[in-house]
Amino acid sequence: MKRCSHPGCSWRAIAPADDAVWGQYARHLVAEHSTTVDADIPSGIVQLKFEADEDWITVPVEEARALQAERHSD
Ligand SMILES: [Zn+2]
């Protein structure tokens, strides 16, 4: 279950497969948060953080997926 990391956002992924979840999450971030968090974020770029005490990072969707995979391999 992938949940949105933005404070106060109740969005959750409903797709069963990781790839589909990331696609949904990326679209959600772009649609719901990219314009409100930072209007200068171009299409295909997402902001995310993995832990509550970490800073937000701004990365392309593909890099976000790679980072997520990295975290999960620890
Ligand atoms: Zn959200």
Side-chain angles (χ1 to χ4, degrees):
M1 178 73 73
K2 177 69 182 167
R3 296 180 63 171
C4 182
S5 56
H6 280 258
C9 181
S10 60
W11 182 90
R12 296 180 185 193
I14 56 172
D18 282 351
D19 279 358
V21 166
W22 266 99
Q24 286 186 5
Y25 187 43
R27 283 193 295 274
H28 165 75
L29 288 173
V30 171
E32 300 298 328
H33 298 303
S34 63
T35 56
T36 56
V37 173
D38 186 341
D40 293 330
I41 298 175
S43 177
I45 303 296
V46 298
Q47 284 193 314
L48 58 88
K49 60 179 178 179
F50 293 99
E51 306 294 341
D53 60 348
E54 291 184 358
D55 292 332
W56 287 97
I57 57 174
T58 304
V59 294
V61 171
E62 288 305 314
E63 187 174 334
R65 292 180 58 162
L67 286 169
Q68 176 81 353
E70 226 170 69
R71 295 295 179 112
H72 281 183
S73 68
D74 285 345

